[in-house]
Amino acid sequence: MIVCHTTPKLNGCLLTVSWSDSIKAATKQVAEDLMVFYTGDQPGDTPGNLPDPYYWWQCGAMFGSLLDYYYYTGDDQFNAAITEGMLHQVGPYNDYMTPNQTKTTGNDDQGFWALSAMSAAEQKFPDPPSDKPQWLALAQAVFNTQAQRWDEEFCAGGLRWQVFSFNTGYDYKNTISNGVFFNLAARLAIYTGNQTYADWAEKTWDWTAAVGQVSPDYHFYDGAHTGENCTDINRIQWTYQPGVYLLGAAVMYNFSFGADGADVKTEDEKWRVHVDKILNTTERFFSLPAVPNVMVETACEPYNTCNTDNLSFKAYLARWMAATTKMAPWTYDVVMEMIRPSAAAAALQCSGGSSGTLCGTKWTDGAKWDGSTGVGQQMSALEVMQSLLISRVAPPLTNSTGGSSIGDPSAGSGATFNPDLPQGVIQHRDRVGAGFLTALIILSGIGSVWWMIS
C-alpha cells in the first residue's frame, strides 16, 4: 500500500487531500510504479515506446503525466527519460510522424505527443539540447501538419481519425482528434499571441458543434463517418472528450479577455458560457449515487469492458479539469469538489500487485482493490492526486510571461503528406505566418507539403 502519512494504515492509501506532504508522498509512489511499466529506458529497447499491449500514443500521453508530476512536485527523477523518449519519437521531420508507427498513427495519437510538448513549453521544462527540436517548435509542427489535413470535402470540415487511408478508421471523424487540435490551437494562441491559432481553435469548435459531435446541451459524442456525411453520430461518451474541450474553451476565454475578466467583450462572453456548460455536463462522470463526486468511466467501467486505451481516459479529464482552474479561476471550487473525493478514492485503490501499491481503476470500490493494474490505471491515479496541488503552482507560462521555449512557425513543413488524400483536401488555406507560407511555396514546387499548429 502507499504510505501517505503516519495515520494507521488501511488497505490502500489514506490520502490527506489538503496536506501537500501527503499528496507528494502518494504521487511519488504512484509515479515510480508507473515507470515500472516503461521499458524504453532499458538497454536494447526503444525510447518513447511502451511494450505490448500499449499503443504508441499512450507513451506520449504518459510523458504528459510525468511532466505534470515534475510541474507539481519538483521531483526531477524522471526528467531524463521524458526528454530522451520525447525526442526519440519526433520522426525525420520533427513533427511526431514516426515512420515505424504508420499503422497506428491517428491525428489524436500524433496530437497527444504535441500536447505533451506544449506542456513542456508552458511549464518551462528543461529545454532539449540546442541541436535538437525544441518543445514549442514540436507543438507548432504538429499543428501545421494537422491543419493541412483539415478536410472540407466530407462533412464540411474536420479532421479524420486516421492519418493514412490504409488504416481502419480513415473514414471516421472523431471528436477527440478534433478536440486535441482545438486544445492545441488554443494553447498555441495564448503562448505565442498569434491570432491565427485562435482562429483555427474557433473554426474547430464551430465545426464540432455544427456537425453534432457536441450537442446543444454540451454532451460530447465519439464521432461519425464520412460516407454518411457525419450524420451517423456515435453517441458513446468518454471522460476525455469534454475534458479536452473544457481546457481549450478556458484558454480561449483567457486569450480573449484575461483571467480576471477585466476586458470582457460582450460578443466573446461565449467562451465563459462554454466553460460553464461543459463543466456542468462533465458532472455526469461523477454521479454514482453511492459514491458521489468520484470519477467513473461510465461507458465501460461498470461493465468491465474498458480496453487498454479506455483505462487511461480518466487521467486526461483530471489533468484538464485542474488546468482549467488556471485559465478560468471561477471554476476552482466546482472542480475541486470533484477532484478531492476522486483523489482520495483513487489512493485507496492503490493497494494491488506484489508490491501492494499498484493502482486499480474502480475508484468507486474504495479500499477493495479491483484486481487490475497497468499504465492507464497508474496515470489516472497520478493525475487526479497531483491535481490536488494545482493551487500551489504557477499558471502556464507564455512567451510574454517567462516562457522561453524556442518556436518555429514553419515547423512541420517536411515531405510527409499522405499521398492517398484527395488532392482537393491537400490545399494550403489559412497559412500561419509569412515564413511558413514561403516554405510551402518552395515545397509545393517539388510536390512535398506540410502544415502548422495544434
Side-chain angles (χ1 to χ4, degrees):
M1 95 171 238
I2 297 174
V3 179
C4 295
H5 58 90
T6 57
T7 58
K9 293 182 179 181
L10 298 180
N11 182 25
C13 171
L14 187 59
L15 178 68
T16 302
V17 298
S18 59
W19 184 19
S20 62
D21 288 349
S22 173
I23 299 164
K24 289 179 180 181
T27 54
K28 183 175 187 290
Q29 182 66 62
V30 175
E32 289 175 349
D33 285 343
L34 170 59
M35 286 298 283
V36 170
F37 292 91
Y38 178 63
T39 58
D41 56 351
Q42 301 300 311
D45 213 321
T46 303
N49 217 20
L50 285 162
D52 289 339
Y54 303 102
Y55 286 106
W56 173 71
W57 77 274
Q58 198 163 339
C59 196
M62 181 193 77
F63 288 141
S65 294
L66 294 171
L67 284 161
D68 285 349
Y69 174 74
Y70 175 62
Y71 170 59
Y72 283 120
T73 69
D75 181 357
D76 65 358
Q77 65 173 304
F78 311 118
N79 287 11
I82 294 169
T83 299
E84 179 189 42
M86 288 188 64
L87 293 180
H88 192 83
Q89 294 294 328
V90 298
Y93 298 97
N94 298 331
D95 54 11
Y96 290 113
M97 288 295 295
T98 306
N100 63 0
Q101 297 293 339
T102 55
K103 291 184 178 180
T104 63
T105 301
N107 281 299
D108 50 355
D109 303 69
Q110 183 195 22
F112 267 94
W113 284 90
L115 293 184
S116 292
M118 193 72 235
S119 292
E122 294 165 339
Q123 297 167 7
K124 210 168 184 177
F125 186 75
D127 292 330
S130 59
D131 63 338
K132 300 293 184 181
Q134 303 299 297
W135 305 128
L136 177 59
L138 286 166
Q140 289 173 308
V142 174
F143 172 88
N144 288 334
T145 65
Q146 294 197 350
Q148 176 196 321
R149 299 181 196 130
W150 187 265
D151 169 27
E152 294 189 358
E153 181 174 348
F154 297 92
C155 312
L159 291 176
R160 294 170 181 265
W161 174 24
Q162 293 296 310
V163 172
F164 298 106
S165 60
F166 50 74
N167 284 337
T168 301
Y170 180 73
D171 64 341
Y172 194 65
K173 293 193 175 182
N174 62 338
T175 304
I176 192 61
S177 290
N178 288 280
V180 168
F181 184 65
F182 167 70
N183 184 297
L184 181 56
R187 290 162 67 181
L188 281 167
I190 201 168
Y191 191 97
T192 66
N194 187 328
Q195 179 63 41
T196 308
Y197 293 114
D199 292 344
W200 269 99
E202 183 144 10
K203 179 178 182 176
T204 306
W205 174 277
D206 289 347
W207 177 84
T208 305
V211 81
Q213 290 188 7
V214 56
S215 69
D217 57 353
Y218 290 80
H219 291 279
F220 288 82
Y221 303 125
D222 191 73
H225 291 89
T226 56
E228 302 295 329
N229 200 33
C230 294
T231 59
D232 61 331
I233 300 292
N234 179 346
R235 295 182 179 271
I236 194 168
Q237 298 180 63
W238 303 103
T239 50
Y240 70 165
Q241 292 161 346
V244 74
Y245 282 90
L246 174 66
L247 177 57
V251 173
M252 288 298 289
Y253 167 83
N254 197 283
F255 179 77
S256 297
F257 358 108
D260 61 1
D263 299 318
V264 171
K265 301 173 184 177
T266 302
E267 66 271 21
D268 291 330
E269 183 67 13
K270 64 182 181 183
W271 291 114
R272 179 166 182 148
V273 172
H274 290 331
V275 169
D276 288 342
K277 292 195 173 184
I278 298 171
L279 191 55
N280 183 58
T281 56
T282 297
E283 293 177 4
R284 72 184 302 275
F285 299 107
F286 299 81
S287 59
L288 203 64
V291 278
N293 293 323
V294 173
M295 196 190 307
V296 179
E297 193 64 65
T298 55
C300 64
E301 192 176 312
Y303 317 108
N304 299 315
T305 57
C306 298
N307 65 27
T308 302
D309 288 349
N310 305 155
L311 290 168
S312 71
F313 290 174
K314 292 194 291 188
Y316 317 125
L317 178 56
R319 175 192 300 174
W320 292 324
M321 286 176 71
T324 291
T325 69
K326 291 299 192 188
M327 296 290 103
W330 75 89
T331 64
Y332 179 82
D333 288 343
V334 173
V335 166
M336 297 313 292
E337 285 175 3
M338 292 180 272
I339 292 294
R340 290 189 190 103
S342 295
L348 288 173
Q349 266 296 300
C350 295
S351 58
S354 59
S355 66
T357 59
L358 295 182
C359 303
T361 195
K362 291 188 175 182
W363 303 344
T364 53
D365 282 1
K368 181 184 177 182
W369 177 51
D370 66 9
S372 71
T373 61
V375 171
Q377 292 92 323
Q378 294 299 130
M379 286 175 60
S380 295
L382 178 61
E383 286 284 12
V384 76
M385 287 190 218
Q386 62 196 14
S387 292
L388 295 168
L389 299 169
I390 189 66
S391 66
R392 301 170 186 262
V393 294
L397 297 174
T398 70
N399 62 10
S400 62
T401 62
S404 60
S405 187
I406 298 172
D408 179 2
S410 65
S413 302
T416 53
F417 74 98
N418 179 1
D420 294 324
L421 266 177
Q423 291 302 300
V425 177
I426 306 176
Q427 300 295 321
H428 314 304
R429 296 181 288 267
D430 300 310
R431 298 169 177 127
V432 182
F436 178 60
L437 177 57
T438 301
L440 279 176
I441 293 171
I442 294 170
L443 287 168
S444 65
I446 59 172
S448 303
V449 290
W450 264 102
W451 226 89
M452 136 182 166
I453 299 182
S454 177

